[in-house]
Amino acid sequence: MNFKQLSCIYLCTFILWCVPSFAREFDKDFILKNLKTNRYAIDTEASAVVLHENIYRHIIWTESGFSEKSTVHMIIKIIKSDAAYLGDIHVVYSQDARNSSSNFKGTTYNLDGEKVIESEVGKDDKLKKKIVNNNVVMSFSMPSVKEGSIIDYSYEIVSYFNELTVNWQIQDQYPKLESEFSITFPKSVQFTTISHTRLNSKSFDLEGDAENSTDSFCFVKRDYAESQKTFWIRRNIPGVKKESYVVNRVNQLERLEMQMTGTGGWDRMIQYDNSWNILNKSWWPGFGGMKEKLTEAHSLYKMDLDSLISRDMDAVEKTTIIYKFLRWRLTASDYNVIGRYNLKEAYSNKRGTPSELNLTLVAMLRDAGVDASPIILGATDHVSPIEKMPVFNRIIFIACAVYVDSNLILLDITDKNNPLGALSPHYYNGYSWIMGDKGKGIYLTTDMLREKMITSVKISDFGDSTASVEIIQKLGMIRSAEKRREWTQDKEKSKKKMTEFRKILPEDVSVIESSIDNETNPDAPLVIKQKCILSFDSKTKDFFLPANFVKFFDSNPFREAKRQLIIEFPYGIDYSYHLNIQLPENIAPENVPEPVNLEFDKNGMSYKKMTSYVPELNMLTVNAAFNVDNTAYGTDQYEGIKTFFQKIVDDNNQMIVLKKAMKK
């Protein structure tokens, strides 16, 4: 594309940019009607309803690159007071001298009898901007927001367009009666659309025709001399409430993404990064690519590497030593950048971005003769990457992938609490790509993770009114890492770390001594030990003891009448429970519970319990196990899962009756 062509595009699109985007006016009758409406058929229990949403994005080419103007207009009905926080507006954009926000307008409408009271955003309602993680956050508060209000606000953002991906979040927490999204961009640009909608769109020639229709999903494409505009409108979008056991909520919400995958002149369009193999060729080899960057810090860490390993070590030994050394030495910054790396600076300063830290790990392992490569990943608070093509705003993280005898080991040194050999469940989010001369795609799913927890309870030394209880809980590596991370980040929780383990005990059990083993060792499971006293009434002939002294589930986690989102467990589960009661000669069980064997989804989940009593030894034992092998279930299986868990809860609440032999 030559300079004259770019200048022509710039002039034509700049003229279009100066023209206000197509937006409808909403008269006072519309406002009055909705002020009087407090229940909407789309969701009669909703705390708020988005009456109208309009997002317009206009991208142009300038001499310094692509620029974009985004215009947002929202009209929201606040039905209940718990949604009043929607009146606090936060506008986020990248911190860059070329970026700015402007034209903040806002009006709150309230009803006083038949009179509409308007309160406009004033200077006192605008808050100063703050810088958070290299982003500018502009905030302003809508005035007089309360139950029954309608808030109507709009703003513009002008920014340097460098993300290459445009996102329309169609569905969210609250229902929307109408959401419009449009984008104008030069014809010299090609976008690929990735849609996560459940409906096919009906095509119209003009925006007005689409807006006057009653169709649920409409689409308009308009061609101008040097640009094109696409317009969508989606109606009657149900809100999605927060539900338990959801690993990736955003995966299940309607959205539309457009990614720039080509640029060029009228005669030729050059496509790029529209497949993983093409991305691999762009990111891995060549000047400034990942492969070249891996040599940056070699001269700095060579002496450390030579002192750490020897030639006779195998790949596992080398990996273990280098991983632990770098995890101890390097500290990750609070923000991450994919695409800009300075490994030499990170190693020298002992601090860098998460990408720089894990690339340093890859570099040292490769220099040690280990088959290590960078792996680019998604994260569960973003839409999962897909095999079809790499979507840039879904690529969140770089970790280290090591192959030892065809076995894949995943490593991440960015958190001091990360154990050797596994990533946080946060990064098991679908398709991922191992960078290399050829490159390779793999799926990372929650089925690949397993959490094993063992609880052992021993009750002995019965007296007239007490017994000794010893409880040992061995957490799995996943929960151990989560707990260490939680205690590191929250000092108050760290001080009260034993509280949560005491809460699970029956009320008549008091803790007299407790400890945690391996608290500071991220490569070993946490072991919680508690010595307790069980109290019971010395005058009663019978007393009750829980069969599940430490319950798998105290209550049913699936309480909703209906389920909107698929059920996702963050990892596979192997929980086991062992109770051993050494009874004195004068106490015996009056009943021994029958065995329990529950299965769901062809043993995708199971719960089993066996109780036995040996009179000759006067010993009562309970062994239980809860397993999850399949980690994802559809909404059509919800009733079955709900019933399955209720049976577990009911069994966990079963009591063993112990009978005393009364003295004559």
Side-chain angles (χ1 to χ4, degrees), residues 274-277 384-391 394 430-433 441-443:
N274 58 353
S275 76
W276 288 96
N277 281 315
S384 297
I386 53 176
E387 188 173 356
K388 177 183 176 182
M389 66 173 286
V391 183
R394 303 183 188 183
Y431 198 73
S432 306
W433 186 265
I442 63 170
Y443 277 94

Side-chain angles (χ1 to χ4, degrees), residues 164-188:
L164 304 181
T165 303
V166 176
N167 172 50
W168 174 29
Q169 186 64 55
I170 301 172
Q171 191 175 34
D172 219 321
Q173 178 181 358
Y174 298 109
K176 299 178 182 179
L177 300 187
E178 186 174 74
S179 179
E180 296 179 348
F181 177 80
S182 54
I183 179 171
T184 299
F185 54 91
K187 282 189 174 179
S188 60

Side-chain angles (χ1 to χ4, degrees), residues 88-93 100-102 104 126-131 135-141 155 157:
D88 294 324
I89 317 302
H90 306 285
V91 181
V92 182
Y93 58 90
S100 64
S101 57
S102 61
F104 291 93
K126 296 180 181 179
L127 306 178
K128 294 181 180 180
K129 65 181 180 182
K130 293 187 288 187
I131 307 300
N135 287 324
V136 178
V137 181
M138 291 291 296
S139 303
F140 62 98
S141 297
Y155 58 86
I157 298 174

